[in-house]
Amino acid sequence: DTAVSQTPKYLVTQMGNDKSIKCEQNLGHDTMYWYKQDSKKFLKIMFSYNNKELIINETVPNRFSPKSPDKAHLNLHINSLELGDSAVYFCASSQSAGGREFFGPGTRLTVL
Amino acid sequence: QKEVEQNSGPLSVPEGAIASLNCTYSDRGSQSFFWYRQYSGKSPELIMFIYSNGDKEDGRFTAQLNKASQYVSLLIRDSQPSDSATYLCAVTSGGSNYKLTFGKGTLLTVNP
């Protein structure tokens, strides 16, 4: 029943490791997003896909690579994790680009 | 750099009072404006959106937009302790108007 779901909810890992976060939406939306919320609660967009096409690619280290296998899924792979990557990562979706966005529950990533 | 500014607070109001949350934005081309509520440890939840100058009411919430002044506000009438949360203002920005830029949020505390 969950509209936008993410896995895992928590991720604790060592510096230098590679990890992935998965997102799925069952709302039939065309557009999906990845946001990062840091310790000061500032929410910043990282990437956006519209119908599997990358439309927003903010200034993010290229260690971060999004992948959208289909409209309903958007994954985020992070290589060579660093301490500064520790944050909550939110997936979101909207009917179309620029529309009302609905957020997933978030993935809290802790890099030790 | 497109910016969205909010008073970080905390804003403290007594139960039953009107809470007034303010937001200014720098991009004159912005067309869509959103208010999200985020409880501690939870994901942002859309509570109001407004596209045209003037007021928009939904229950106890009223969003106000003044594009000439680049100002958007959220009024919460009859504030309840359950309204205690961080309120995030978000504005579409970027030439294509499909990227949401968030403010840093205002922490609202409603005291019983």
Side-chain angles (χ1 to χ4, degrees), chain A residues 9 33 35 37 40-45 55-56 58 90 97-106 108, chain B residues 1 32 34 36 38 40-46 49 51 86 88 92 97-104:
Chain A
K9 191 169 173 62
Y33 311 82
Y35 286 88
Q37 189 169 46
K40 295 182 180 177
K41 308 300 183 189
F42 187 38
L43 194 62
K44 197 165 189 315
I45 191 164
I55 57 171
I56 295 174
E58 290 295 282
F90 286 104
R100 288 169 276 171
E101 294 183 22
F102 296 86
F103 283 77
R108 182 174 293 278
Chain B
Q1 180 79 7
S32 304
F34 305 87
Y36 285 82
Q38 186 173 24
S40 180
K42 300 295 185 183
S43 57
E45 172 194 10
L46 179 67
F49 59 93
Y51 303 137
T86 296
L88 302 167
T92 54
N97 251 329
Y98 55 66
K99 184 176 77 171
L100 268 190
T101 298
F102 281 82
K104 294 188 177 180

